[in-house]
Amino acid sequence: MDGSRVLAILNHKGGVGKTTTCFNIASAYADQGLNILAIDLDPQSHLSVSLGLKDTGLNGVDELFLEHAEVPGYILNVRENLHLIPAGLRLGEVEKLAAKGRQQAMVLRNALQPVLHHYDLILIDCPPTSGLLNFNALFAASEVIIPVSSDYLALHGLSQLLRTLKSAERFMQKELPMWIALTRFTTRRRLSNQVREKLIKYFPRQLLATAVRENAPLAECPSFGKSIFDYSRRSNGAQDYAALADDILYRRVMSNDEPALH
Ligand SMILES: Nc1ncnc2c1ncn2[C@@H]1O[C@H](COP(=O)(O)OP(=O)(O)OP(=O)(O)O)[C@@H](O)[C@H]1O
Ligand SMILES: [Mg+2]
């Protein structure tokens, strides 16, 4: 496998399933034996908490920005094959550095360089903002995964987000493949199906094949510090995230001609 795949899980809209997706696909890959680094780039520290880290006061990404620290000292081995750089208590202060110029957008990318080749995949859980942290994620990433929840207003702002990503690509002078992951899907709800149909129509080559269903165990497992695979292996959530993890690995998209997987 190409050892330099760095996936930014990004959507400026809040509560669409970024952290749930990041946490569970990271766990799916680690369970398969891939060596994974997950980065908690959200001052809310939800990824760290989901992975069972009670002490969210640990330093992490914040010190890369605020102390010019180096990455290796901040990597925690949280499970077999799964490593984490926590957000750190002061990550919220980082947005203020935006005024200090373009170089600040490269901090994460530069900091990751020495460890890139240690991992099969690196996943970045992004915050629901549109500031410096997300620019850092885009500079560091080789691909972007955009979770979109299957509800009212889900599509609102999506074309704007994609335009922003395109202009970021031009600015960075690199291609950034983008994939859309449909989350919180309710099979019998007309609205969910309408959202999916619109996504297939407008993003035919970017919508990942699996729609992740709304599933209570997915919301429960973070409070036990367990992935969906450890918490409820037979749940729809476990099935869907295992399939979505493969979609991302093999770049499988939803086809217009086939019925949905559920
Ligand atoms: N498929 C699902 N089924 C049931 N609950 C879900 C599902 N996906 C996410 N949730 C729940 O929805 C809430 C928001 O999900 P999550 O935290 O992953 O979103 P987010 O995009 O990371 O939010 P934020 O923008 O605040 O970082 C959480 O309580 C989560 O447990
Ligand atoms: Mg989140």
Side-chain angles (χ1 to χ4, degrees):
M1 183 191 301
D2 174 5
S4 57
R5 273 184 93 178
V6 181
L7 309 177
I9 322 291
L10 181 138
N11 191 336
H12 302 162
K13 192 164 149 48
V16 295
K18 294 181 288 293
T19 304
T20 306
T21 299
C22 185
F23 166 46
N24 288 299
I25 62 174
S27 302
Y29 295 137
D31 288 351
Q32 286 178 31
L34 297 175
N35 199 26
I36 302 300
L37 175 64
I39 300 173
D40 191 348
L41 197 63
D42 186 348
Q44 300 178 101
S45 291
H46 286 170
L47 181 64
S48 311
V49 173
S50 301
L51 280 162
L53 241 85
K54 297 273 183 297
D55 181 7
T56 50
L58 286 165
N59 294 324
V61 183
D62 56 347
E63 302 225 327
L64 306 181
F65 286 91
L66 300 170
E67 310 290 342
H68 308 290
E70 293 186 356
V71 154
Y74 296 95
I75 298 178
L76 305 175
N77 187 194
V78 284
R79 303 258 204 294
E80 196 178 357
N81 303 322
L82 182 50
H83 305 81
L84 170 74
I85 307 180
L89 270 184
R90 295 156 68 206
L91 191 58
E93 295 172 26
V94 166
E95 296 293 1
K96 293 184 208 135
L97 300 175
K100 291 197 174 168
R102 206 179 255 211
Q103 215 35 38
Q104 291 295 333
M106 305 287 279
V107 169
L108 184 63
R109 179 196 171 91
N110 292 339
L112 288 175
Q113 284 305 323
V115 300
L116 273 186
H117 60 285
H118 294 174
Y119 300 98
D120 294 308
L121 278 166
I122 297 180
L123 290 97
I124 307 173
D125 185 32
C126 296
T129 50
S130 53
L132 182 64
L133 288 171
N134 274 328
F135 269 108
N136 269 272
L138 288 174
F139 271 104
S142 63
E143 287 165 65
V144 180
I145 311 285
I146 305 171
V148 173
S149 60
S150 320
D151 56 39
Y152 186 61
L153 292 183
L155 300 171
H156 185 80
L158 187 56
S159 47
Q160 175 61 39
L161 173 60
L162 289 170
R163 271 198 299 278
T164 307
L165 295 182
K166 281 283 158 215
S167 65
E169 269 186 318
R170 279 195 296 276
F171 178 72
M172 295 181 292
Q173 299 188 333
K174 71 170 184 183
E175 287 217 20
L176 208 51
M178 295 157 202
W179 310 97
I180 296 173
L182 189 52
T183 62
R184 313 204 66 166
F185 190 79
T186 307
T187 317
R188 279 196 278 281
R189 253 173 82 203
R190 188 146 41 109
L191 189 57
S192 281
N193 287 298
Q194 283 170 350
V195 170
R196 185 178 57 203
E197 275 157 31
K198 284 220 167 68
L199 287 171
I200 293 177
K201 183 167 168 207
Y202 293 115
F203 308 103
R205 284 181 296 279
Q206 288 167 301
L207 179 60
L208 293 163
T210 307
V212 176
R213 285 166 285 187
E214 181 77 18
N215 184 236
L218 282 169
E220 293 159 11
C221 61
S223 62
F224 296 91
K226 288 183 172 178
S227 75
I228 191 64
F229 308 105
D230 290 336
Y231 181 69
S232 181
R233 179 157 282 282
R234 292 170 168 278
S235 62
N236 288 344
Q239 274 178 41
D240 293 347
Y241 270 114
L244 187 75
D246 280 351
D247 294 345
I248 294 168
L249 267 193
Y250 305 113
R251 300 180 169 98
R252 288 192 311 227
V253 293
M254 213 179 269
S255 155
N256 219 349
D257 320 322
E258 292 165 27
L261 289 181
H262 314 303

